[in-house]
Amino acid sequence: MSRILIIEDDPEIAALVRDYLQMAGFETVLAGNGQEGLEAAPTTDLIILDIMLPGPDGFAVLRELRETSDMPVIILSAKGEDIDKIRGLGLGADDYMQKPFSPGELVARVRAHLKRFERLTSQTGHQGKTSPKIMIRGLEVDREARQVFVRGAECSLTPKEFDILLFLIENPNHVFSKEDLFERVWGLEAMGESDTVVVHVRRLREKIEPDPQQPQYVETVWGVGYRFRI
């Protein structure tokens, strides 16, 4: 049984999320502030994280978590400004939901992120003659180690940035819409979340492209979507 950590200082919201997750068959742990959340995190499988917390806020908690763990993190926050979403996703959150929210949709997203994370962590080897490493024009992607090197220098990507890059590079020259990428990488129907893909692609380009304004790896096909060009 997967164990979900809910880091939320509003007792009513925390109880609502807990009840829906427990009805869905998950074990839950509650933390009312950032420090409690950090202490409980190592024993859990996925985190639902508020931003406005006493003690370390959600951004600080996420930053510290990402120093040691790739476990899925879903931000659940009343802060709906683009800058907050960009910051949260840029720090390594896998998903961002705004309050008020649909508990049923939250449960669906929890299931999808756990399933994808389990699949990724179970891929300890490679099949057949497929190399665990992909090297294209100064870009090296190591599937097994989940590492990326740009012209020999290691590039630190968030889990979802890596997933997007790996998906595109394994499907070269094929154009995927924002909705396609959200469904393939997040494992969910897009449900209006295409902006999440835009933020991740922008951050990815800032890290791997020599000139993010004129990308040579992840290209935009205007009016259609994105592709990895080889």
Side-chain angles (χ1 to χ4, degrees):
M1 180 186 298
S2 296
R3 199 164 191 243
I4 314 301
L5 172 60
I6 304 161
I7 309 179
E8 170 63 66
D9 65 326
D10 185 320
E12 293 185 2
I13 294 177
L16 175 67
V17 174
R18 178 200 63 202
D19 292 347
Y20 269 85
L21 288 172
Q22 289 181 350
M23 285 189 293
F26 296 107
E27 183 181 349
T28 59
V29 180
L30 298 181
N33 60 61
Q35 188 56 44
E36 288 180 4
L38 286 170
E39 292 171 359
T43 65
T44 57
D45 302 299
L46 180 145
I47 296 173
I48 296 173
L49 176 66
D50 188 19
I51 290 177
M52 295 180 288
L53 295 169
D57 67 9
F59 292 131
V61 170
L62 181 57
R63 187 181 296 109
E64 187 165 340
L65 284 170
R66 282 295 175 246
E67 291 179 359
T68 58
S69 174
D70 286 341
M71 81 165 67
V73 175
I74 300 174
I75 290 179
L76 183 63
S77 175
K79 295 173 72 67
E81 298 296 323
D82 286 346
I83 187 64
D84 298 310
K85 189 170 187 177
I86 290 169
R87 186 179 179 190
L89 296 174
L91 286 171
D94 297 273
D95 209 344
Y96 196 112
M97 293 185 67
Q98 186 177 347
K99 301 173 185 174
F101 62 98
S102 162
E105 181 183 340
L106 177 60
V107 171
R109 293 189 183 213
V110 166
R111 284 198 177 108
H113 285 296
L114 285 170
K115 184 176 180 181
R116 175 165 290 275
F117 188 67
E118 181 181 353
R119 184 164 64 250
L120 289 172
T121 54
S122 68
Q123 292 172 348
T124 56
H126 56 281
Q127 299 179 353
K129 297 181 179 180
T130 303
S131 170
K133 295 184 180 180
I134 305 170
M135 289 175 279
I136 299 176
R137 303 194 313 278
L139 181 68
E140 179 181 335
V141 178
D142 189 324
R143 292 182 177 95
E144 293 183 355
R146 292 180 64 81
Q147 290 178 300
V148 174
F149 297 86
V150 181
R151 290 170 292 281
E154 185 171 2
C155 178
S156 178
L157 301 184
T158 67
K160 277 296 180 288
E161 289 166 359
F162 181 89
D163 293 343
I164 290 172
L165 176 60
L166 182 61
F167 177 76
L168 290 174
I169 206 171
E170 288 181 335
N171 297 275
N173 297 326
H174 186 98
V175 181
F176 294 94
S177 69
K178 295 187 290 288
E179 292 76 16
D180 287 337
L181 283 174
F182 192 84
E183 292 173 12
R184 300 290 190 96
V185 174
W186 275 258
L188 293 159
E189 292 185 8
M191 296 181 289
E193 295 295 332
S194 59
D195 286 349
T196 298
V197 175
V198 174
V199 171
H200 279 86
V201 170
R202 182 191 311 157
R203 299 278 301 190
L204 175 62
R205 283 174 170 163
E206 290 172 355
K207 295 177 180 181
I208 69 170
E209 299 282 1
D211 180 0
Q213 300 304 314
Q214 298 186 22
Q216 66 179 36
Y217 298 121
V218 180
E219 295 184 332
T220 297
V221 179
W222 294 107
V224 184
Y226 303 104
R227 69 180 171 199
F228 189 94
R229 181 174 63 83
I230 61 171

